[in-house]
Amino acid sequence: DSGVTQTPKHLITATGQRVTLRCSPRSGDLSVYWYQQSLDQGLQFLIQYYNGEERAKGNILERFSAQQFPDLHSELNLSSLELGDSALYFCASSPAAGGASYEQYFGPGTRLTVT
Amino acid sequence: GESVGLHLPTLSVQEGDNSIINCAYSNSASDYFIWYKQESGKGPQFIIDIRSNMDKRQGQRVTVLLNKTVKHLSLQIAATQPGDSAVYFCAENSRFSGGYNKLIFGAGTRLAVHP
């Protein structure tokens, strides 16, 4: 158990809908990262937050957004969902923004299925 | 459980043999590398890391070798066990302008251990 929690574990929704995925980092970790993992691709970095502020952006679509709250949990919002958005979404956390420690601890993921 | 990366390269080994999983990284300026293990239905789990000022690091039954000349990373697993069956990802830490770092993941290799 990495200490990172994600809810829900599974999510099934229809095209055009909007969903919110939630992540609670390890106790004391300030950075949260979101990744998308499709069957035909590896882990694709989406976005990073550090202590409430956006720190880095990766291959995140404009239909997707995220935020990190004062208690450091994070939410990833996916809107106008398309079939191609079906994937595993992982959250990871780390103590810092990427200075001395780069290791990221991953949650169990949310399996999103868009029908 | 869920399958990850159905089209991943697969390494098949006999139980008790040593396994070597290879990874080519892209950025010669990357200063930190990690190997992750992902079992079916779970998030990636940290195995071992190595900084760019080292060329070898050993853990329990695992060894990581770094060859910066050819930008190559390998993970050696001694006395491979059925529980080692998983997808293995290498990740490199790259620095970007603005002072932030990003872990870039490789495509992954599936390790299948046969009795």
Side-chain angles (χ1 to χ4, degrees):
Chain A
D1 184 359
S2 67
V4 178
T5 61
Q6 289 186 249
T7 57
K9 188 172 176 60
H10 299 281
L11 196 50
I12 302 174
T13 189
T15 55
Q17 295 299 304
R18 172 190 169 96
V19 297
T20 298
L21 312 184
R22 183 188 168 99
C23 168
S24 292
R26 292 188 324 154
S27 177
D29 283 359
L30 299 178
S31 271
V32 169
Y33 309 77
W34 286 98
Y35 292 86
Q36 180 191 57
Q37 187 176 45
S38 305
L39 276 179
D40 58 353
Q41 293 187 6
L43 283 157
Q44 300 292 318
F45 169 70
L46 296 178
I47 198 165
Q48 177 199 359
Y49 278 81
Y50 175 72
N51 204 20
E53 294 188 2
E54 182 184 306
R55 187 63 186 252
K57 258 186 176 180
N59 303 320
I60 188 166
L61 300 172
E62 286 190 9
R63 299 183 286 108
F64 296 179
S65 66
Q67 53 184 329
Q68 186 179 28
F69 295 87
D71 65 352
L72 300 177
H73 90 270
S74 177
E75 293 181 354
L76 178 67
N77 301 296
L78 314 176
S79 61
S80 302
L81 285 167
E82 302 174 359
L83 295 177
D85 298 327
S86 296
L88 277 164
Y89 291 85
F90 288 103
C91 167
S93 74
S94 69
S101 172
Y102 307 127
E103 182 181 341
Q104 296 178 21
Y105 299 86
F106 283 79
T110 292
R111 162 70 75 182
L112 173 66
T113 302
V114 183
T115 62
Chain B
E2 296 141 344
S3 296
V4 172
L6 291 177
H7 306 294
L8 292 174
T10 298
L11 174 66
S12 294
V13 300
Q14 290 292 123
E15 181 178 357
D17 288 351
N18 297 332
S19 303
I20 300 176
I21 300 172
N22 297 303
C23 175
Y25 63 92
S26 57
N27 187 352
S28 58
S30 293
D31 60 354
Y32 177 74
F33 305 86
I34 308 178
W35 279 100
Y36 281 93
K37 172 186 180 183
Q38 187 176 21
E39 296 175 279
S40 183
K42 297 184 179 180
Q45 178 185 12
F46 172 88
I47 304 174
I48 191 168
D49 59 0
I50 188 168
R51 296 195 180 275
S52 59
N53 61 355
M54 304 171 67
D55 52 22
K56 180 179 179 178
R57 188 158 190 233
Q58 286 185 294
Q60 187 177 15
R61 277 202 311 120
V62 293
T63 301
V64 55
L65 299 177
L66 174 63
N67 185 331
K68 294 182 288 293
T69 302
V70 294
K71 292 189 287 185
H72 183 268
L73 196 65
S74 69
L75 176 71
Q76 300 178 357
I77 305 174
T80 313
Q81 302 169 359
D84 295 326
S85 294
V87 176
Y88 290 81
F89 293 97
C90 66
E92 61 179 302
N93 181 72
S94 289
R95 295 178 181 272
F96 291 83
S97 61
Y100 76 92
N101 305 276
K102 186 167 79 171
L103 276 182
I104 299 173
F105 285 80
T109 297
R110 184 182 306 279
L111 177 65
V113 182
H114 303 285

